[in-house]
Amino acid sequence: MAVETVHPLPSAARPGGPRAILRKAYLFTYLRGWLVWSSYRAQVGLTIVGWIVPVFVFFLVAVFLGAAGSSISALDGSSYIAFFVVGLAFQGFVSNLVGMLAQRIRSEQMMGTLELVFLSPTNPGAVLIYSSLFGVLLNLLSAVAIMVVGVGLLGVQLSLNLPTVIVATILLAVSSTGLSLVAAAFILWTKQGNPVALFFSTFTQFFAGVLFPVAVLPASIQWLAYSIPLTFGLDALRAGLLAGGSLVSVAPSLGYMALYAVITIPMGLLLFRWVLNRTKDEGTIATY
Amino acid sequence: MGLSIEVRDLTKRFPGSRPFPWSPPGRDSVALSGVTFDVRPGEIFSLIGPNGAGKTTLLKILSTLLLPTSGVARIGGADVVREESKVRSRISLVTNSERSFYYRLSGWENLRFFCGLYNMHEQDLRERMQPLAETLGLTEAVLARAYRTYSTGTQRKLQFLRAFVLDTPVLFLDEPTSSLDPVSAEEIRRVIATECRSRRQTVVLSANNLVDVERLADRVAMIHRGRLEVLGAPPAGSGAQPIRLFVRAPTPTVLAGLEEFARGGDPAEPVRWEIDERAGGSVVRCWTRDPRATLPGLLESLWQAGVRVEQVDLRPFVLEEEFLRRVDEAGPEPEEVPG
């Protein structure tokens, strides 16, 4: 009986390495991210307006209630404006990050490029991480824009500890990645509607100490606030931005965010992988 | 010689949908059933079959975009389920969809992005792209334009450019000339014939356009109702050979011409025929031991009877005929059976 031998086929993928990683980061951030996003000019304008308007809304509310310039003990001595400016800047940063991967998957489904991206030798998990880079940068820009408005127009006084701000921002982004993966898995499966991002966006504004301190909440539900990393992130960022707090002084908050990331990212990746296999079984990767 | 692609007993069943989680599931649909075939290195292997027969399902399983229900498929020895990353580095796919690039980016930016996913450096891409882009008529000015401004033919050419630049050993083509005008379709066929042959690329070509298959394929397999069968010409000297004519005349007139020819023929060598009415005319098939000797008398009889003969085909195996015969024999799809 004749036995057929397998013809060894060469791989078309070039070797990887740090330069290949940087190149892919550039391709996803600049070409796929910035060039596509900035080609929709109306969207660019409306997005910037969307960043800034809530700051003025809450400023006017604060003025109306007479709390604008006051220093409140529950706010650790910082003014209410400074409190909500930091809250809004970084709550927007995190809630956009949580919804962003899902949005990216949805847009690739609509454009028909999702199958082509998943057909390449780049691992789907890596594709998701590269895809999130542009969103991180864009949302960071929104946080900076809100802070600039706060400092330049609303008189927020900064007492900056840069290492604390940098480390807290990175950990806040990383600790949101697990939820972002869960939201991406959800949209890959259901195609429309993203309850994870929607719930996170509304839920955190209320519970995470964005517009008022967690201490104001009834004691019986304060644990909810401390089950989400944004609460700890905002504590650390307010300390680093408004009170010159050192890394050591915010170490417990940073530790919690790191722990949250270590637990939720593998869970998010596993869930995404499971959903990807399910859509591959159903043949619905590219349907929308 | 070794194998590039091995497929063994591959089955794909899609579960029936249910409108609500508590509803009973609908009937499963079987897209592929026990499909087995091999493709050798450098071979152009074509898949034909009616719409919905399972061609695209098979290509998607081989491209790791769809999981089989059972069976095995290997590309260069790598399993499409267990070693998908290895498989993906060896394959590229050209589809009939224009939605395979980013509309807001230029052709060049799209190439940079997709080839970058294979870790290809920009300089490497430029060097590989230049001669290929010339062959495909994609000038620098065209590549600098936004993809959304491209015609369907140019969009398809950009897909081929991406596939050829990547130079994967295996290339899957899903309806590469569909929705193209005859000039663009011919250009694409020429590119497949020259580039894939010169690279000894293994190609699996799924096509509804049988001209593509007849011009390009080394072997053809037909998928129908999820089953695959490799087609081929009957062995030479196996008995009567066909003469196939496309004629324009009412069927009774054609029959009169054929009967007239039979009357004047050799009673020891009777000619057998059948007539199929088709759009714009009829196909007449005559079987005889010696088509070349029979043809002049047959044409003369038909002409005398007033039949206009527009095409004569002496090939022992006509793909379109085989395709239609098999679909006719299989009858309507179960869902389409009346009553």
Side-chain angles (χ1 to χ4, degrees), chain B residues 142-254:
Chain B
V142 172
L143 289 172
R145 272 176 25 213
Y147 178 74
R148 63 179 184 274
T149 65
Y150 286 5
S151 67
T152 310
T154 308
Q155 288 173 348
R156 200 66 51 83
K157 285 178 187 172
L158 192 69
Q159 283 208 57
F160 274 98
L161 183 56
R162 173 171 62 189
F164 290 143
V165 166
L166 291 173
D167 201 17
T168 53
V170 175
L171 175 60
F172 297 122
L173 303 176
D174 193 5
E175 305 282 355
T177 62
S178 70
S179 69
L180 294 183
D181 65 71
V183 176
S184 302
E186 189 53 33
E187 263 187 282
I188 292 294
R189 274 183 219 117
R190 184 175 48 76
V191 166
I192 298 170
T194 51
E195 287 298 324
C196 297
R197 295 281 186 207
S198 68
R199 293 155 187 272
R200 279 191 51 73
Q201 226 167 359
T202 306
V203 177
V204 179
L205 162 72
S206 157
N208 278 331
N209 185 347
L210 298 182
V211 177
D212 294 350
V213 179
E214 286 177 327
R215 297 262 187 89
L216 298 167
D218 296 316
R219 277 192 305 150
V220 183
M222 179 154 174
I223 302 188
H224 190 32
R225 308 249 174 100
R227 296 193 173 274
L228 180 141
E229 192 185 337
V230 176
L231 307 180
S238 65
Q241 301 289 312
I243 298 173
R244 185 177 177 273
L245 309 172
F246 185 78
V247 299
R248 281 187 198 270
T251 302
T253 312
V254 179

Side-chain angles (χ1 to χ4, degrees), chain A residues 152-173:
Chain A
L153 301 178
L154 309 182
V156 171
Q157 300 285 318
L158 291 185
S159 172
L160 197 65
N161 183 313
L162 204 55
T164 302
V165 173
I166 291 171
V167 173
T169 307
I170 291 171
L171 278 175
L172 186 57

Side-chain angles (χ1 to χ4, degrees), chain A:
Chain A
M1 184 179 134
V3 176
E4 292 280 16
T5 52
V6 170
H7 184 69
L9 296 178
S11 161
R14 278 59 177 171
R19 289 186 68 171
I21 292 173
L22 284 176
R23 195 177 308 121
K24 280 183 191 170
Y26 164 79
L27 293 173
F28 274 90
T29 310
Y30 177 68
L31 288 181
R32 170 65 192 89
W34 170 253
L35 285 187
V36 173
W37 185 77
S38 62
S39 70
Y40 296 97
R41 289 184 191 142
Q43 175 190 250
V44 173
L46 289 171
T47 303
I48 293 169
V49 170
W51 293 342
I52 308 297
V53 165
V55 184
F56 287 101
V57 170
F58 286 105
F59 171 71
L60 293 173
V61 171
V63 169
F64 177 69
L65 295 176
S70 60
S71 173
I72 303 166
S73 62
L75 305 178
D76 297 328
S78 55
S79 76
Y80 180 60
I81 291 178
F83 184 89
F84 78 65
V85 164
V86 175
L88 282 179
F90 288 93
Q91 191 269 344
F93 172 67
V94 169
S95 62
N96 285 337
L97 278 186
V98 168
M100 185 200 56
L101 273 183
Q103 205 183 348
R104 185 54 50 89
I105 296 270
R106 177 85 188 129
S107 116
E108 299 276 352
Q109 279 171 338
M110 300 288 287
M111 286 190 283
T113 45
L114 191 63
E115 283 192 335
L116 270 300
V117 172
F118 283 153
L119 192 69
S120 77
T122 303
N123 184 290
V127 166
L128 290 178
I129 291 166
Y130 288 123
S131 298
S132 65
L133 292 176
F134 175 67
V136 171
L137 292 177
L138 187 67
N139 294 319
L140 197 58
L141 194 64
S142 87
V144 170
I146 293 172
M147 288 305 300
V148 166
V149 170
V151 172
L153 301 178
L154 309 182
V156 171
Q157 300 285 318
L158 291 185
S159 172
L160 197 65
N161 183 313
L162 204 55
T164 302
V165 173
I166 291 171
V167 173
T169 307
I170 291 171
L171 278 175
L172 186 57
V174 173
S175 64
S176 312
T177 306
L179 277 176
S180 186
L181 286 165
V182 172
F186 205 92
I187 214 75
L188 187 64
W189 187 8
T190 62
K191 319 298 177 195
Q192 279 274 33
N194 189 352
V196 182
L198 181 71
F199 178 73
F200 190 84
S201 163
T202 24
F203 178 81
T204 52
Q205 222 166 47
F206 191 70
F207 283 104
V210 175
L211 298 173
F212 49 83
V214 173
V216 173
L217 289 170
S220 58
I221 57 168
Q222 280 185 19
W223 65 271
L224 267 175
Y226 288 105
S227 66
I228 37 181
L230 178 61
T231 312
F232 293 92
L234 289 180
D235 281 352
L237 283 161
R238 286 191 180 112
L241 282 163
L242 306 174
S246 68
L247 277 171
V248 176
S249 69
V250 296
S253 296
L254 300 181
Y256 177 83
M257 286 193 286
L259 181 69
Y260 195 87
V262 167
I263 294 169
T264 56
I265 291 176
M267 282 169 61
L269 278 172
L270 278 176
L271 180 71
F272 188 84
R273 187 77 229 183
W274 182 78
V275 170
L276 182 61
N277 280 340
R278 202 189 149 105
T279 53
K280 276 186 177 185
D281 191 36
E282 293 169 346
T284 58
I285 291 184
T287 52
Y288 58 92

